[in-house]
Amino acid sequence: MSDAAPSDRSLQILNTVLLVLAGCVVMVPTLWMVASSFKQSFEVTAYPPTIIFTPTLDNYVALSETTPFLHYAFNSMIVTMASTALGLILGAPAAFVASWTRITWPAIVTLVARMAPGTLFLLPWYVMFRQVDMIGSYWSLILTHAVITMPIVIWVLIPFFDNIPRSVYEAAQVDGCSPARVFWRIALPLVTAGLAVSAILAFVFSWNYFLFALVLSNSDTKTLIAASFNFIGEGSTNWGALMAAATLIALPPLILAVIVQRWLISGLTLGAVKG
Amino acid sequence: MASISMRSLVKTYGDFTVIPGLDLEIADHEFVVLVGPSGCGKSTLLRVLAGLERINGGDLYIGDDRVNDVPAARRDIAMVFQDYALYPHMTVRQNMAFALEMRGMDKAEIETRVKRAAGLLHIEDFLDRRPKALSGGQRQRVAMGRAIVRDPRVFLFDEPLSNLDAKLRAQVRAEIKALSQQLRTTMVFVTHDQVEAMTMADRIVIMKSGIIQQVGSPEDVYERPANLFVAGFIGSPAMNVLPVTVAGDRLVLSNARSVQIASLGSKRPAALIEGATVDLGIRPEHFEVAPDDPNAIAVTVDLVEPLGSDTLIHFKLAEINAIARVSPDLRPKPGDSLSLSPVPGKIHLFERETGEVIR
Ligand SMILES: Nc1ncnc2c1ncn2[C@@H]1O[C@H](COP(=O)(O)OP(=O)(O)OP(=O)(O)O)[C@@H](O)[C@H]1O
Ligand SMILES: [Mg+2]
């Protein structure tokens, strides 16, 4: 850093300040949540908050004893993984075709669908699934969540596909690839970073989306995030247990991000063309 | 192995017409070299042949098949792209094997072919590298290799040697020529290099703004250019062009009528009218140093460029810059005077208005 030009110094300082600020906004509530989950109930709401305390697993024990927490977690996993997979399976080819043909209006339609508030879909979805008697099934949740995951996948992947030099596709065609094979053998391996990013985002959005689950699931298929709303307001709220639940809910997306980040290398298309 | 037939072929991009209507027949086994200035539509024509661009008019036949609507993947053509277009996620070996794999060739045969092509192009040492770890010239050879492992109906090459050093270029050039004679596959080769064009081609096609100016053997286009454009494009340094006036059986410089520059001799074209002004073309190598010839032109040397194998002399003829190629033994200095005369029978005459040759 010492070899930076003098004029860059103020930029560096600004950079550091912004990083610290962003860190505070993100990290303080997270740390507070995690810390609270290990506190005794009375400490959680104590003011001023206790910094030094004896950690306890009481909240976690209470959580697993009073709720079918693992079952909800399992539901969440099923719905989230399936809807993420569905989003990728539908979204990746769609993004490829949108990028190749430069026809993006269908992608924009999906984006508009994504932007619209979920309540807009809720009623039609509900009526439809009611008619085919699918309320409370995993499929009703997986399909509705794909409405959230697919546009994410499409819009994350389009710029990745756009980055692949056109002549690479053309070379593949000349080499005898059908469009499907160009997608499978050439385009897809070149956007693994995009797949990783879109998978994480889709996973997180689906994992955290509660509205559809609230209405379309039953007590058997309820997802974690929907179930956690039951923890609030049942008489007196058990803040400690709620913090423990929140911590556990936050864990899978975090783990996923760590696992997937090794695919987040850029520059994969380097060397294709002249330079 | 197939002939190619282009009939009134039209290619436009929106309002912009790249190829306004092109007719060209390429015979089976033929090696055709496409030349022309940058932007004249050479790459576009190759892309049309490959099936990467849809044509807007006319017909395209490969062999006996009309392929106007046949997609690239089913035309069985191998192409070297001007910008290489390597697969970045594959090693050199995988890049070269890909097309063969797509055709379901067996592993051993693929391996043999990749080895042979790699040897030919001197890329055996980096078969396991990715394109990004290669230099420009190495990448270009991989692009070349990806094409020559195949056994297609037609090879298309878009300036495939432009990034190689002189020695390697000469080597690969010779190898492609040998390969074409051995495989006997139809080849269309785009280049900016005069030597490549002259040495490799069965026929040269000279294009300008999407219009074919002349098609002919290398000797043809060099010795009998159809118009001023071809005359100026083929040959390096370019042909000297001087405005002259017909005076009896003599040609005199239009702006210095006392200077006779050539005599027409007995083979005077009928189209030449007494007193007409035409363009006279003389190639630099078709000047002779003739100190004893009473009709020789006396010139003053402006600049001397020794090339080793021969020497270029720059001089002015009535304000027009001209170049003569002479023996390297001759070492005139700037300011010296020299007697030059055109080699009889090696002069070209072009119409003033149209630039068409007068025969
Ligand atoms: N996709 C396109 N859209 C519009 N115009 C194009 C397109 N591709 C090429 N052109 C135009 O068509 C003309 C021919 O281009 P082309 O690439 O065939 O030239 P070229 O003869 O290969 O030139 P060079 O020797 O520089 O490679 C150029 O004027 C170019 O600007
Ligand atoms: Mg070109």
Side-chain angles (χ1 to χ4, degrees):
Chain A
M1 289 297 144
S2 56
D3 58 351
S7 59
D8 285 351
R9 272 209 81 92
S10 52
L11 255 179
Q12 275 178 23
I13 292 168
L14 185 68
N15 197 12
T16 313
V17 169
L18 286 176
L19 273 177
V20 169
L21 267 177
C24 287
V25 171
V26 177
M27 291 311 291
V28 167
T30 310
L31 287 176
W32 193 76
M33 170 187 81
V34 175
S36 301
S37 72
F38 291 107
K39 288 178 183 176
Q40 302 285 348
S41 277
F42 65 88
E43 280 177 312
V44 175
T45 47
Y47 187 84
T50 44
I51 306 284
I52 295 152
F53 60 92
T54 326
T56 166
L57 285 175
D58 285 359
N59 292 323
Y60 291 90
V61 174
L63 191 66
S64 64
E65 276 170 357
T66 57
T67 66
F69 189 86
L70 275 182
H71 182 70
Y72 293 150
F74 176 76
N75 290 344
S76 266
M77 271 298 168
I78 296 243
V79 170
T80 300
M81 296 209 319
S83 67
T84 300
L86 195 59
L88 285 170
I89 290 166
L90 297 175
F96 170 69
V97 172
S99 165
W100 183 339
T101 59
R102 308 210 191 291
I103 301 172
T104 47
W105 66 262
I108 290 172
V109 171
T110 67
L111 186 68
V112 170
R114 170 71 192 89
M115 297 293 207
T119 40
L120 204 74
F121 297 100
L122 198 54
L123 221 55
W125 276 123
Y126 184 81
V127 173
M128 271 168 54
F129 285 121
R130 167 111 274 161
Q131 276 165 358
V132 292
D133 200 22
M134 274 173 69
I135 302 283
S137 73
Y138 284 132
W139 276 112
S140 65
L141 288 180
I142 292 166
L143 288 175
T144 48
H145 277 213
V147 173
I148 298 154
T149 57
M150 191 181 71
I152 294 172
V153 172
I154 291 178
W155 283 94
V156 168
L157 282 184
I158 283 179
F160 280 90
F161 284 124
D162 283 348
N163 259 340
I164 300 175
R166 247 190 140 56
S167 57
V168 173
Y169 293 158
E170 292 171 346
Q173 287 175 276
V174 170
D175 275 351
C177 286
S178 61
R181 271 197 164 160
V182 174
F183 170 69
W184 193 247
R185 295 289 309 264
I186 306 294
L188 213 53
L190 287 173
V191 298
T192 45
L195 288 174
V197 174
S198 59
I200 296 178
L201 288 178
F203 186 96
V204 171
F205 276 86
S206 169
W207 182 265
N208 292 339
Y209 206 82
F210 67 94
L211 184 62
F212 294 154
L214 213 55
V215 177
L216 296 175
S217 65
N218 59 26
S219 59
D220 227 22
T221 57
K222 204 173 273 290
T223 61
L224 205 47
I225 197 94
S228 67
F229 274 77
N230 294 349
F231 304 155
I232 308 176
E234 280 174 359
S236 67
T237 304
N238 182 349
W239 288 109
L242 193 57
M243 289 302 167
T247 303
L248 288 176
I249 290 172
L251 219 48
L254 207 73
I255 293 170
L256 187 72
V258 172
I259 293 173
V260 168
Q261 77 169 347
R262 69 187 191 89
W263 283 306
L264 299 183
I265 38 165
S266 54
L268 214 60
T269 56
L270 281 180
V273 294
K274 236 169 197 171
Chain B
M1 275 138 274
S3 59
I4 304 172
S5 172
M6 293 161 245
R7 304 181 190 164
S8 317
L9 190 146
V10 178
K11 177 65 206 169
T12 59
Y13 288 115
D15 293 341
F16 180 63
T17 304
V18 184
I19 299 170
L22 183 140
D23 290 283
L24 181 63
E25 302 286 330
I26 297 174
D28 197 3
H29 306 331
E30 200 175 13
F31 197 126
V32 167
V33 171
L34 264 180
V35 296
S38 186
C40 72
K42 305 181 294 292
S43 297
T44 305
L45 190 57
L46 287 199
R47 295 170 56 79
V48 163
L49 294 180
L52 298 169
E53 301 284 351
R54 191 164 260 288
I55 54 180
N56 307 88
D59 283 313
L60 175 60
Y61 288 81
I62 296 178
D64 296 326
D65 314 320
R66 181 171 174 276
V67 294
N68 289 28
D69 303 311
V70 177
R74 288 202 273 113
R75 288 197 187 183
D76 195 17
I77 278 177
M79 177 165 175
V80 178
F81 287 74
Q82 191 168 7
D83 67 354
Y84 317 152
L86 302 178
Y87 308 127
H89 57 302
M90 298 185 194
T91 62
V92 169
R93 186 193 305 277
Q94 291 166 333
N95 262 280
M96 289 166 72
F98 186 70
L100 305 180
E101 231 175 86
M102 288 296 108
R103 283 173 172 70
M105 190 179 281
D106 72 71
K107 284 251 157 38
E109 172 70 8
I110 293 179
E111 186 62 23
T112 322
R113 285 181 177 226
V114 169
K115 279 254 166 60
R116 202 190 64 186
L120 227 69
L121 296 162
H122 310 282
I123 51 177
E124 305 101 317
D125 292 343
F126 25 85
L127 279 176
D128 293 314
R129 283 200 216 162
R130 295 270 167 85
K132 74 169 168 231
L134 299 178
S135 77
Q138 291 166 340
R139 282 179 203 174
Q140 191 162 38
R141 279 178 279 158
V142 177
M144 192 82 201
R146 201 168 55 174
I148 67 173
V149 291
R150 289 184 48 194
D151 202 358
R153 302 216 293 171
V154 177
F155 278 115
L156 305 175
F157 297 105
D158 202 344
E159 303 185 34
L161 311 178
S162 60
N163 240 336
L164 308 187
D165 63 56
K167 184 166 164 245
L168 199 58
R169 186 190 285 222
Q171 263 177 33
V172 176
R173 188 174 69 217
E175 271 151 9
I176 295 174
K177 183 74 189 169
L179 194 76
S180 86
Q181 279 159 1
Q182 184 190 332
L183 294 179
R184 304 190 43 74
T185 307
T186 312
M187 304 217 180
V188 183
F189 192 106
V190 170
T191 182
H192 276 134
D193 185 312
Q194 299 265 340
V195 182
E196 268 168 38
M198 297 301 282
T199 55
M200 300 175 95
D202 292 329
R203 281 195 303 162
I204 298 182
V205 175
I206 298 116
M207 280 174 70
K208 178 190 168 194
S209 313
I211 300 167
I212 292 182
Q213 302 294 306
Q214 187 173 0
V215 183
S217 68
E219 299 78 44
D220 252 354
V221 297
Y222 179 79
E223 285 172 13
R224 288 174 289 281
N227 57 36
L228 260 179
F229 178 81
V230 175
F233 197 81
I234 299 288
S236 172
M239 184 184 278
N240 300 296
V241 178
L242 304 160
V244 296
T245 304
V246 182
D249 67 347
R250 300 179 315 142
L251 294 168
V252 297
L253 278 180
S254 294
N255 55 353
R257 291 185 180 245
S258 58
V259 183
Q260 172 191 329
I261 193 139
S263 59
L264 288 163
S266 54
K267 285 186 287 179
R268 176 189 175 127
L272 268 192
I273 307 159
E274 177 71 16
T277 302
V278 296
D279 279 324
L280 167 70
I282 306 173
R283 294 207 180 273
E285 49 274 46
H286 293 153
F287 277 115
E288 278 176 337
V289 181
D292 305 325
D293 184 350
N295 285 329
I297 319 147
V299 301
T300 307
V301 176
D302 284 340
L303 178 70
V304 179
E305 283 184 290
L307 298 180
S309 56
D310 38 33
T311 298
L312 299 182
I313 311 271
H314 294 242
F315 56 93
K316 278 197 187 64
L317 266 180
E319 306 302 310
I320 294 167
N321 290 317
I323 299 178
R325 189 194 289 272
V326 300
S327 144
D329 308 333
L330 204 68
R331 280 288 161 81
K333 283 183 278 306
D336 286 0
S337 81
L338 210 58
S339 290
L340 296 174
S341 68
V343 177
K346 294 286 190 188
I347 60 168
H348 308 265
L349 295 173
F350 303 96
E351 268 178 38
R352 216 59 257 263
E353 279 78 36
T354 61
E356 293 301 313
V357 74
I358 305 171
R359 288 222 168 92

